[in-house]
Amino acid sequence: MQSAISLSLSSPSPIARSAVTDASSPAPRSLRFCGLRREAFDVKASFDAPSLRLNRFNLHSKSSNSCKVFAALNGNGTPPSGGFDYDLVIIGAGVGGHGAALHAVEKGLKTAIIEGDVIGGTCVNRGCVPSKALLAVSGRMRELQNEHHMKSFGLQVAAAGYDRQGVADHANNLASKIRNNLTNSLKSLGVDILTGVGTVLGPQKLKYGKGDNIITAKDIIIATGSVPLVPKGIEVDGKTVITSDHALKLESVPEWIAIVGSGYIGLEFSDVYTALGSEVTFIEALDQLMPGFDPEIGKLAQRVLINPRKIDSYTGVFASKITPAKDGKPVQIELIDAKTKEPKDTLEVDAALIATGRAPFTQGLGLENINVQTQRGFIPVDERMRVIDANGKLVPHLYCIGDANGKMMLAHAASAQGISVVEQVSGQDHVLNHLSIPAACFTHPEISMVGLTEPQAREKAEKEGFEISIAKTSFKANTKALAENEGEGLAKLIYRPDTGEILGVHIFGMHAADLIHEASNAIAMGTRLQELKFAVHAHPTLSEVLDELFKSAKVKVGASNKVAEPVPV
């Protein structure tokens, strides 16, 4: 789900922090798992290495039901100074907490991570990982069902079918594999895994589990993530009215399902359900479908992803009340006009999926102990992820990353924020440029984006007094896309012709989620279009879509060499 981004143009003030490591600290390890970049690597194979001594034991006390798992790898950082139990404690072992923990070990920090549920959090267990398994199935089903597409290759395929339980098992098995690999990576590097709910008791002090397990830390990171957002009036039974958590289990494939919300989550599940034979009805509160995307890309995507499929839609309406199916009656959905709140229509469907976004999971953290008040559930932070209290002051040594702070509700954004925080507590000032973080929707074809949409860029240009230009390239001109009979697609570049600065890139087409990173890295590094024009791309590859896009940009002669400083979000 793409979140709103607010820009602060104030100059960041430097922070004075003493380095945690010194000359005696261990050198950075070559083994590094940040976010999910190494999730497919089976670290269990390394347990047999003679240099690795893995000791695991459970500590049970009569006064506590909690369990502490400890793995030693030649020391989890150097012993903390100042009488603290740890240099860094992270509450939450999702993608953000995992990436922060492993980067902290690499920096020589003695680190612990507290998890009250399962390692991997929402992304691995109930989000991006199992959903991609389902989307892999839907992509293959869609291709096999497209007789014209197969005949264009000279292929003849019998009627495609699927085993629902087999598909569900594929998603579950993938989540289990990735979860185990992430857990093993934490243990192998010596991160202490503390089981139970984490609560902040005061400055640099926490407790976890059901007993009196109190620990201290020089720095604390909150990384508790989010849960599906269910609006008022909607009754979720987990069977016929479901959230994405339930949908990923694929316990059924309804003949007709209403999807409330047409953002990332709704679009991806519409791809899955229609490929498996369902009819879909979108219910969108705004006046158009796919409201979070660049309008031009959204219009093209709707023509390809929605119009030809068994999908209809209602826009400008709220689902004011949804009642699960029971006593032989179908799911009842009452619709009202989003502006006038007048009754609009009533739908009867087999199932309803609530895809209205996600809400931060920040209850029970003990925020009242440090005078922190949430804003719509989100923990307020500054551009360095430092927590801000109710008086507008920074809470010393406390940070919040990921969905819980609401800056950008994406798994890889949480990981990047966690790594940024670890850099800071290690003595290196670091501010993450959120406008360089890409996002993707894994439909068939895919949608990806980084930076500003065209309306956002035009608003910024008018406010700051500069011009913008637009460049576009089509997948229809790409040899690799044509070889795959996947010529439907567009890449769009938004840039400043006076400096060559990239403001935004949006792609709809085959493997768009992979292609976006060249643009993302260019924004992060401040690389100008003048320089990108000389980049060499292998032929024939899809990457040439971006090669042509960058070359087609018209940068003014004598353009300034200076690119604007990244704006922290």
Side-chain angles (χ1 to χ4, degrees):
M1 185 78 180
Q2 191 175 42
S3 58
I5 298 176
S6 59
L7 302 179
S8 171
L9 300 180
S10 60
S11 301
S13 57
I15 54 174
R17 295 191 63 111
S18 59
V20 175
T21 56
D22 54 28
S24 63
S25 300
R29 308 183 191 279
S30 60
L31 180 61
R32 177 177 181 181
F33 301 83
C34 290
L36 292 181
R37 282 178 283 178
R38 296 288 299 276
E39 79 276 10
F41 181 79
D42 189 356
V43 299
K44 290 184 290 185
S46 67
F47 287 0
D48 296 328
S51 61
L52 178 62
R53 298 194 300 273
L54 182 63
N55 300 316
R56 285 181 288 181
F57 55 90
N58 295 336
L59 296 180
H60 295 282
S61 66
K62 295 181 180 180
S63 62
S64 173
N65 293 323
S66 64
C67 168
K68 174 180 177 182
V69 181
F70 174 75
L73 176 63
N74 278 336
N76 167 14
T78 56
S81 59
F84 295 104
D85 296 314
Y86 294 96
D87 290 310
L88 179 66
V89 170
I90 304 161
I91 305 176
V95 172
H98 177 268
L102 299 184
H103 192 60
V105 172
E106 183 177 288
K107 288 290 187 178
L109 304 181
K110 184 171 178 58
T111 306
I113 193 163
I114 300 172
E115 178 54 62
D117 188 13
V118 287
I119 301 296
T122 293
C123 177
V124 171
N125 299 286
R126 300 173 298 277
C128 37
V129 169
S131 68
K132 298 311 158 291
L134 295 183
L135 285 160
V137 172
S138 71
R140 284 165 174 77
M141 279 294 294
R142 198 172 295 286
E143 185 174 26
L144 292 172
Q145 292 169 341
N146 190 335
E147 185 178 354
H148 176 74
H149 179 75
M150 300 307 289
K151 281 186 175 180
S152 68
F153 288 112
L155 299 176
Q156 296 179 355
V157 180
Y162 67 92
D163 171 34
R164 183 199 58 78
Q165 188 58 53
V167 175
D169 289 344
H170 172 54
N172 182 64
N173 292 339
L174 177 63
S176 178
K177 179 179 179 180
I178 302 303
R179 179 172 61 251
N180 290 338
N181 289 345
L182 295 186
T183 303
N184 290 334
S185 69
L186 289 169
K187 293 179 181 179
S188 68
L189 292 181
V191 175
D192 287 8
I193 303 175
L194 311 178
T195 302
V197 175
T199 303
V200 179
L201 298 178
Q204 302 173 294
K205 188 177 183 181
L206 314 90
K207 73 172 183 177
Y208 68 93
K210 296 180 179 179
D212 296 326
N213 303 294
I214 298 176
I215 54 176
T216 58
K218 188 172 183 181
D219 291 284
I220 299 169
I221 297 177
I222 296 173
T224 47
S226 62
V227 295
L229 173 64
V230 179
K232 293 181 180 179
I234 297 178
E235 181 184 346
V236 174
D237 67 347
K239 298 294 183 181
T240 60
V241 180
I242 59 178
T243 67
S244 57
D245 286 1
H246 306 109
L248 288 167
K249 298 176 182 178
L250 202 69
E251 293 183 351
S252 66
V253 180
E255 291 187 17
W256 184 10
I257 183 169
I259 298 180
V260 184
S262 62
Y264 291 68
I265 299 172
L267 275 177
E268 290 186 350
F269 275 107
S270 77
D271 196 290
V272 171
Y273 281 119
T274 54
L276 298 183
S278 300
E279 294 183 23
V280 169
T281 295
F282 272 120
I283 299 172
E284 173 57 56
L286 297 180
D287 291 333
Q288 64 180 37
L289 295 177
M290 306 171 60
F293 298 87
D294 181 88
E296 186 173 10
I297 294 294
K299 185 177 180 180
L300 173 60
Q302 182 172 340
R303 180 169 66 80
V304 176
L305 300 177
I306 295 177
N307 295 349
R309 300 177 181 177
K310 293 181 179 179
I311 300 175
D312 63 358
S313 62
Y314 290 81
T315 57
V317 297
F318 284 123
S320 61
K321 184 178 181 181
I322 300 181
T323 306
K326 54 187 173 183
D327 301 328
K329 296 181 180 180
V331 174
Q332 303 280 332
I333 304 177
E334 297 180 14
L335 302 178
I336 62 173
D337 188 279
K339 296 178 181 177
T340 66
K341 304 300 186 293
E342 294 293 324
K344 191 83 172 181
D345 205 346
T346 299
L347 293 180
E348 293 185 347
V349 296
D350 298 310
L353 168 63
I354 313 306
T356 48
R358 299 187 65 83
F361 183 69
T362 53
Q363 298 82 11
L365 286 171
L367 299 177
E368 65 280 1
N369 297 328
I370 47 175
N371 192 32
V372 172
Q373 295 179 356
T374 61
Q375 299 173 359
R376 295 178 297 111
F378 295 104
I379 296 175
V381 297
D382 69 356
E383 72 276 6
R384 290 177 175 81
M385 309 305 125
R386 297 177 294 187
V387 174
I388 301 171
D389 70 13
N391 298 321
K393 298 181 179 179
L394 296 177
V395 180
H397 305 284
L398 183 65
Y399 303 80
C400 178
I401 65 173
D403 288 5
N405 68 33
K407 281 184 173 289
M408 196 174 229
M409 300 181 77
L410 299 167
H412 49 279
S415 180
Q417 290 173 2
I419 292 170
S420 177
V421 169
V422 170
E423 286 293 304
Q424 295 173 54
V425 302
S426 300
Q428 303 296 320
D429 190 20
H430 187 272
V431 176
L432 178 65
N433 178 15
H434 285 75
L435 291 179
S436 70
I437 298 176
C441 185
F442 293 85
T443 47
H444 298 91
E446 297 173 344
I447 312 171
S448 63
M449 64 226 65
V450 66
L452 304 176
T453 63
E454 184 176 340
Q456 290 171 337
R458 293 197 181 281
E459 181 181 355
K460 179 180 175 67
E462 183 178 355
K463 182 178 180 181
E464 299 181 13
F466 62 84
E467 295 181 1
I468 67 167
S469 292
I470 307 293
K472 305 172 191 175
T473 53
S474 171
F475 279 63
K476 288 184 173 69
N478 181 266
T479 303
K480 181 64 182 297
L482 294 177
E484 299 280 352
N485 276 330
E486 295 285 354
E488 195 73 73
L490 173 73
K492 177 178 180 178
L493 168 67
I494 307 163
Y495 67 100
R496 288 184 59 164
D498 59 334
T499 64
E501 178 187 2
I502 297 175
L503 299 176
V505 172
H506 304 263
I507 308 174
F508 173 69
M510 185 181 186
H511 295 307
D514 298 305
L515 294 176
I516 195 65
H517 294 94
E518 185 172 358
S520 171
N521 290 335
I523 293 176
M525 302 291 290
T527 308
R528 299 162 297 161
L529 289 167
Q530 301 93 302
E531 300 166 307
L532 290 171
K533 287 175 182 286
F534 294 100
V536 180
H537 299 74
H539 176 75
T541 63
L542 292 172
S543 69
E544 291 176 293
V545 170
L546 286 179
D547 183 44
E548 293 297 325
L549 185 66
F550 296 147
K551 284 181 168 61
S552 67
K554 306 298 182 184
V555 180
K556 293 180 179 180
V557 177
S560 169
N561 290 328
K562 181 177 177 56
V563 176
E565 292 295 322
V567 179
V569 177

